[in-house]
Amino acid sequence: MTTKKSAALFTKAKRFIPGGVNSPVRAFKSVGLTPRFIARAKGAYLWDVDGNQYIDYVGSWGPMIAGHTHKEIIQAIQDSAKTGTSFGAPTELEVKMAEIICKLVPSIEMVRMVNSGTEATMSAIRLARAYTGRDKIIKFDGCYHGHGDSFLIKAGSGAETLGIPDSPGVPKALANETLTAQINNLDSVRTLVSRFRSQVSCIIIEPVVGNMGCIPPQPGFLEGLRSICDENGIVFIIDEVMTGFRVALGGAQQLYKVKADITTLGKIIGGGLPVGAYGGKKEIMQIVAPSGPVYQAGTLSGNPLAMAAGYSLLSHLSKKKTIYTTLETMSRMLEDGIRENMKKLGLGYQLNRVGSMFTLFFTEYPVRDAGSARMSDTKKFAAYFSSMLEQGIYLPPSQFEAAFISAAHGEKEIEKTIKANYKALRAKVVSRK
Ligand SMILES: *Cc1c(COP(=O)(O)O)cnc(C)c1O
């Protein structure tokens, strides 16, 4: 596999862009490689500038659930572009978009569109603070909620990979307002709530953690958080930027039968264009400007091109409900294949999966929180990643990121991936023991 053109572009990119990339994990730093520059994509496949083909398990970090360059979505974008790309005035499509979101996620009665997941979570905590008149927030070790100042405390993924648990530039005074609890540990939450009783505005969580690798919630955990919030007048924010329309059409809230006060959305909701949203109870959402005093705005919010892409994907997903059963079948096939491979090789690594989100952790201990995820052998992961990439399988370049399967992944792609997995585990991992 030649990677000459990617290597040359990366060298040039580093002269003009910090680290050569516009988002840190893309740089392949934690796996000690140079990134592949992508030229085009279709269905389950990516092609880099050197002409190498890959089966894609990143899916633009989540949005491409229907596969790349999906016909309906591309058509919707093209049609919309012809009628104008931005007006800075309301459009009918925004109303349709808000309506479909409220229909698909029942806890959302009203919704505001923004341009990224980061914007959605930043706005959601401002709203929770305003609504409760309290300043502190509780987040969980390893959960990532975008790069807002309040969240860059034990923030998983990029920060985890690069070993910057707290970013410089975050004011200490603000960091003090962020309390950190442990995933799947209700006592850690109760301790914080009783200590800071009347100061906690909200609890924000990734309902299935994806940004520490895939970590599902233990039975009763999300329900327990719901009760703690109810008992203490705390706003429960479920950050479904990754899980929304991914783990089920109604997101993790449908899968685990739990309701948020505020839900944040991103990734899939934009169909591959930059979109985020936050929504929830009418009583809370109504205090957002201009109907209320909580300021939040955006020049390009509800952008017609982005709405066209997002609306087209959400409509497609809601019309074709079999997508989620197909995703489950394909994902299970991959899971079974990888487990079979590990059995043959006598390996006991942890495979966590929820629907079409999964992570193979290079540790033999169950991964159920940030501490256990950090037990993973990242050197082994890097060797594994490199072998998979060489075999044309494009995984997230970090042990602490979830991989995604799309509706365009069929048996052929899954079988090829299982074979590559066997080779990678045998050659790169067993021999290094
Ligand atoms: C990706 C992600 C975000 C941030 O979204 P951006 O669009 O990258 O700003 C927030 N929360 C979760 C759970 C995410 O996975």
Side-chain angles (χ1 to χ4, degrees):
M1 195 178 263
T2 169
T3 55
K4 260 171 123 171
K5 284 186 182 165
S6 277
L9 275 173
F10 193 47
T11 303
K12 188 166 181 188
K14 281 191 285 191
R15 274 170 48 203
F16 301 110
I17 307 172
V21 291
N22 283 311
S23 196
V25 184
R26 291 181 202 167
F28 281 23
K29 211 168 170 175
S30 75
V31 289
L33 297 171
T34 54
R36 305 294 153 91
F37 281 64
I38 303 304
R40 65 193 172 91
K42 190 165 180 52
Y45 291 90
L46 294 175
W47 286 267
D48 69 16
V49 288
D50 291 285
N52 302 305
Q53 176 186 289
Y54 307 91
I55 301 174
D56 180 20
Y57 287 94
V58 175
S60 186
W61 304 94
M64 311 318 290
I65 190 167
H68 290 282
T69 51
H70 189 273
K71 252 198 183 143
E72 283 172 41
I73 301 168
I74 300 301
Q75 190 63 51
I77 295 172
Q78 285 174 341
D79 291 348
S80 175
K82 283 180 198 148
T83 58
T85 53
S86 185
F87 314 120
T91 62
E92 184 180 359
L93 195 50
E94 292 171 88
V95 187
K96 284 168 80 175
M97 185 71 168
E99 192 179 8
I100 196 172
I101 294 167
C102 292
K103 201 179 101 198
L104 296 180
V105 187
S107 70
I108 301 184
E109 294 169 356
M110 289 183 119
V111 63
R112 170 60 64 80
M113 303 307 303
V114 292
N115 305 293
S116 68
T118 294
E119 252 189 89
T121 54
M122 279 166 46
S123 309
I125 59 165
R126 178 184 304 141
L127 179 56
R129 283 169 162 157
Y131 182 74
T132 57
R134 306 170 180 176
D135 283 344
K136 294 204 187 300
I137 69 166
I138 294 181
K139 78 177 282 290
F140 293 87
D141 186 3
C143 281
Y144 179 69
H145 303 289
H147 65 86
D149 283 348
S150 293
F151 299 120
L152 289 181
I153 320 284
K154 308 207 167 171
S157 77
E160 201 67 46
T161 304
L162 298 171
I164 335 173
D166 300 334
S167 169
V170 174
K172 275 204 190 74
L174 194 61
N176 281 341
E177 304 301 329
T178 300
L179 309 170
T180 307
Q182 298 303 319
I183 280 284
N184 288 323
N185 181 340
L186 286 174
D187 282 340
S188 73
V189 182
R190 286 193 197 103
T191 306
L192 290 175
V193 170
S194 67
R195 185 157 163 225
F196 298 96
R197 188 166 293 283
S198 55
Q199 300 174 55
V200 179
S201 62
C202 63
I203 294 178
I204 183 166
I205 189 164
E206 285 185 73
V208 176
V209 187
N211 288 291
M212 210 36 219
C214 178
I215 307 177
Q218 301 292 307
F221 179 61
L222 295 173
E223 296 90 321
L225 292 179
R226 178 69 270 179
S227 306
I228 292 172
C229 287
D230 289 341
E231 287 154 18
N232 296 279
I234 295 170
V235 174
F236 190 23
I237 304 176
I238 302 188
D239 181 359
E240 297 231 41
V241 169
M242 187 182 288
T243 54
F245 319 105
R246 163 63 64 180
V247 296
L249 185 58
Q253 294 178 61
Q254 178 187 323
L255 193 61
Y256 299 106
K257 300 184 178 61
V258 59
K259 273 190 167 185
D261 297 313
I262 303 176
T263 301
T264 50
L265 296 164
K267 301 196 169 113
I268 289 178
I269 204 178
L273 268 73
V275 180
Y278 65 105
K281 284 186 180 158
K282 197 169 174 182
E283 186 193 329
I284 302 177
M285 290 307 291
Q286 263 177 338
I287 69 168
V288 174
S291 58
V294 182
Y295 195 70
Q296 185 273 308
T299 302
L300 291 173
S301 294
N303 172 266
L305 218 55
M307 293 300 100
Y311 183 73
S312 162
L313 179 53
L314 294 190
S315 311
H316 175 73
L317 294 174
S318 60
K319 269 183 285 179
K320 212 178 152 195
K321 294 204 175 85
T322 54
I323 276 190
Y324 293 94
T325 41
T326 312
L327 280 172
E328 175 62 26
T329 308
M330 287 300 121
S331 305
R332 180 168 296 274
M333 183 180 163
L334 182 60
E335 175 181 351
D336 291 348
I338 295 174
R339 289 198 190 284
E340 188 70 18
N341 289 345
M342 289 199 286
K343 213 166 136 191
K344 279 187 212 153
L345 294 164
L347 297 170
Y349 298 137
Q350 302 298 311
L351 183 62
N352 284 5
R353 179 178 74 84
V354 175
S356 54
M357 274 172 77
F358 69 96
T359 300
L360 178 60
F361 289 99
F362 286 82
T363 167
E364 309 211 334
Y365 302 97
V367 174
R368 39 179 294 164
D369 54 22
S372 43
R374 289 187 190 110
M375 302 279 282
S376 303
D377 186 332
T378 52
K379 283 208 179 76
K380 277 186 181 162
F381 172 82
Y384 171 73
F385 172 85
S386 163
S387 167
M388 291 298 271
L389 192 68
E390 278 300 308
Q391 297 180 75
I393 312 292
Y394 192 91
L395 295 171
S398 161
Q399 172 71 91
F400 306 112
E401 295 283 0
F404 300 103
I405 291 168
S406 84
H409 288 68
E411 282 182 25
K412 188 180 115 193
E413 286 77 26
I414 300 294
E415 273 164 16
K416 193 177 166 199
T417 307
I418 294 170
K419 277 196 188 127
N421 168 271
Y422 183 81
K423 260 179 99 173
L425 286 178
R426 193 188 54 190
K428 296 286 181 179
V429 181
V430 179
S431 65
R432 290 189 177 205
K433 263 196 165 172

